[in-house]
Structures are given as C-alpha cells and as structure tokens.
Amino acid sequence: MAEIAIKLENVSFSYPTNEGEEHKAVNGVSLDIEEGSFVALVGHNGSGKSTLAKLLNGLLTPTSGRVLVYGVDTSDDKRIFDVRSSVGMVFQNPDNQMIATDVEDDIAFGPENLGVPREEIIRRVDWALEKVGMSEFRHATPFKMSGGQKQRLAIAGVLAIKPRVMVLDESTAMLDPKGRDEVMAVVRQLNREEKMTVVHITHYMDEALGADRLIVMNDGKVMLDGRPADVFKEYELLTKIKLDVPCVTRLAVTLAKAGMDVDPTITDEEALVDSLCRLL
Ligand code: ADP
Ligand code: MG
C-alpha cells in the first residue's frame, strides 16, 4: 500500500452567505489520495472542484470534517507552513500567477519566501526550469510568452518550493491545444519521473484518460471514483450531468452494447482501431 499523501475525512465546506442559509460547496467528501498517484478531477461548473482544491492545501479549511496532509491537520494554524510547502497549487490564469518581470526572479519568489538559502535557490531554479523544458528562457520576460510557456513557468515556480503534491485547477483551460499538450507533458513527466503526486482538475476528458484515478464531482459530492476506463463506462450518468465522455470510449461502449466484440473499457484510439480491424 502506498503512503497516503492527503486524507479527507467527511469534509464539508460552506461559503458564508448574507441570507444565513447554508449551501455546501463541498458536502461530506471522504477521500484518500495516494502518494505518487495521478488523480484527475472533473465535474461541471459549480460542482465544488475549486473549493475542494483550496481545501487540499489549507487555502480554505473545512466547515466540518478534517483534511490531513501527510498527517498534518490543515486547520492547525501552527502547521500551515508545512501544509503549504507540501501541496503546491497551479491556477487557471497564468497571468495572475506571475510576480516578477524576469523568469528567474519569478521562480525564486516561492523559495525566497520560505527562507531557502541563496545557493539552494539557484539550484532549484535551474532544476525547475529544466523540468519544465524552459532553461533557455531564464532571462526572458514572462509577459511576452505564450500561454503554454507562462503556465509551464507557473509550474516551475511551484516546483521550486519542492512540494510533494501538485494541484492544478483547470490550468490548461485557457491554453491553445499546443499549450495544453506542453503543460500535460510536463505534468505527466513530473508524476512519472519525480514521483510527484498530481491532482489535476480539468474539463477536458481526454486529459483524464491517462490518470490513475478519475474522480467525478457533482453538487459538492463525489459521484464516481475509479479507474478512468471504469468511470467512463458510466457514460449515461456522465452525460446526464453534462460531462463529455472521450469519443473513443463512447464509440467502444456503443459498439459493445450493439453486440460487437469490442472491449468497452478501451480508452486508446489505436487499440480501438486494432480491434475493429480484426473484426472486419
Ligand atoms: P467549480 O470549481 O467546480 O466550478 P466551485 O468550487 O468554484 O466549483 O464552486 C462551488 C460552489 O460554491 C458554487 O455554487 C459556487 O457558486 C460557490 N462559490 C464558489 N466560490 C465562492 C465564494 N467565494 N463565495 C460564495 N460562494 C462561492
Ligand atoms: Mg473551478
């Protein structure tokens, strides 16, 4: 059994309202996120994904229930520093995450705030730039970069604090297809090579295909949770809550239902083409 990176115990969160009535943005969620896993989180707008993301690193603390980050309760004010350095967050808009006018300074900002010694900061900046494939941009101006480059820079900034978990909240949503591919390649590589735990919130179902685990949120609750192929099998339920199922899965499930000898859990286009060619 892998170590548990983040544990949610019956977590609820309500934003304060003027009217006094309570709406739970996150409603009774219990989850164990395993160290080293790649978890994709999907759900329509307002289902509670961003609220959940902010609960994972103590930006918000539960109204009830507990969030434990490597055993540390995020509601423990004295340990919030540990929580924030364990769980890094990358947000949707890369422009809002840029701090400095120079790439190097921008990445150094996080570790500087944590009081990391100068030489170590230099090492981390080198390492982070290399990890996101942007070493040659060291002295570039962030504001002139493409969306994909800016988002990779934001990831480098998070990497420089050496978190064990990275949470990406729709960090590919504002990017063009090329930028999305660049960012996803970096994130997958960090998960594989650095064994970084990744929680990736996205509305692109194809980005969820490669995950170890897919969690579907609806109305503040976890509706489905499992291997992506198994979750996508529930595509009627997913369609009902207005989520897209990857085209390849929809096709495979429909063909299987129509009586063809096709594995309905196929998530790979090549594999589907292969089995169709065999049948024909
Ligand atoms: P998602 O990221 O899935 O779109 P959110 O976590 O942003 O969902 O929102 C969940 C619910 O909480 C929604 O009903 C939303 O309107 C509400 N909400 C989100 N942020 C705030 C806020 N700052 N104040 C009040 N309500 C909020
Ligand atoms: Mg959101």
Side-chain angles (χ1 to χ4, degrees):
M1 268 291 279
E3 190 183 352
I4 304 301
I6 305 180
K7 191 176 191 64
L8 281 79
E9 294 174 347
N10 199 15
V11 171
S12 296
F13 182 87
S14 307
Y15 291 98
T17 61
N18 298 327
E19 293 76 38
E21 92 243 19
E22 210 191 25
H23 172 75
K24 287 183 173 169
V26 168
N27 190 354
V29 172
S30 295
L31 285 175
D32 283 345
I33 295 173
E34 284 186 10
E35 164 111 314
S37 60
F38 193 121
V39 179
L41 182 67
V42 300
H44 61 73
N45 279 342
S47 58
K49 304 180 301 295
S50 293
T51 306
L52 189 77
K54 289 174 192 149
L55 287 162
L56 297 180
N57 83 335
L59 281 174
L60 295 175
T61 51
T63 318
S64 66
R66 291 204 302 170
V67 179
L68 301 172
V69 172
Y70 291 96
V72 176
D73 191 329
T74 59
S75 296
D76 183 351
D77 292 340
K78 294 188 291 296
R79 303 291 299 280
I80 193 64
F81 208 62
D82 295 337
V83 169
R84 297 273 167 83
S85 12
S86 296
V87 185
M89 282 268 251
V90 182
F91 294 98
Q92 186 178 89
N93 188 344
D95 288 323
N96 295 347
Q97 298 169 80
M98 236 110 55
I99 299 137
T101 50
D102 176 83
V103 164
E104 203 172 10
D105 293 346
D106 198 80
I107 300 171
F109 184 81
E112 264 164 10
N113 269 345
L114 292 173
V116 175
R118 191 72 220 158
E119 287 85 77
E120 172 64 15
I121 291 179
I122 293 166
R123 268 198 299 276
R124 287 191 189 187
V125 170
D126 285 341
W127 172 79
L129 278 172
E130 198 213 304
K131 282 294 152 197
V132 301
M134 292 192 59
S135 296
E136 74 268 37
F137 289 89
R138 201 184 178 102
H139 298 291
T141 309
F143 302 99
K144 290 182 185 158
M145 293 177 178
S146 73
Q149 288 169 335
K150 285 180 190 169
Q151 208 54 301
R152 277 148 68 203
L153 179 57
I155 291 173
V158 171
L159 279 180
I161 60 173
K162 292 247 169 188
R164 295 167 80 179
V165 182
M166 185 169 312
V167 179
L168 299 111
D169 188 359
E170 305 223 27
S171 307
T172 56
M174 296 179 78
L175 306 180
D176 60 15
K178 181 168 172 285
R180 275 178 60 199
D181 287 347
E182 288 171 14
V183 168
M184 286 313 292
V186 165
V187 176
R188 288 201 187 95
Q189 190 196 340
L190 287 169
N191 174 250
R192 266 199 313 269
E193 291 172 15
E194 305 295 319
K195 308 281 174 253
M196 185 169 282
T197 309
V198 174
V199 179
H200 178 54
I201 299 172
T202 181
H203 62 258
Y204 294 109
M205 285 299 191
D206 56 329
E207 291 179 359
L209 275 175
D212 301 320
R213 178 178 177 190
L214 175 57
I215 296 173
V216 181
M217 282 193 74
N218 188 43
D219 202 15
K221 297 194 172 96
V222 171
M223 192 170 87
L224 295 166
D225 180 0
R227 288 192 317 128
D230 292 326
V231 170
F232 288 137
K233 269 196 286 189
E234 306 290 331
Y235 87 86
E236 276 154 354
L237 190 56
L238 292 170
T239 311
K240 207 151 55 181
I241 62 162
K242 300 193 169 49
L243 289 178
D244 278 336
V245 172
C247 182
V248 51
T249 310
R250 210 161 54 221
L251 203 52
V253 173
T254 311
L255 289 168
K257 273 198 180 149
M260 282 184 86
D261 185 18
V262 169
D263 174 5
T265 66
I266 282 181
T267 53
D268 181 74
E269 278 171 35
E270 302 276 316
L272 181 60
V273 170
D274 279 351
S275 46
L276 286 179
C277 287
R278 259 197 313 277
L279 287 171
L280 300 171

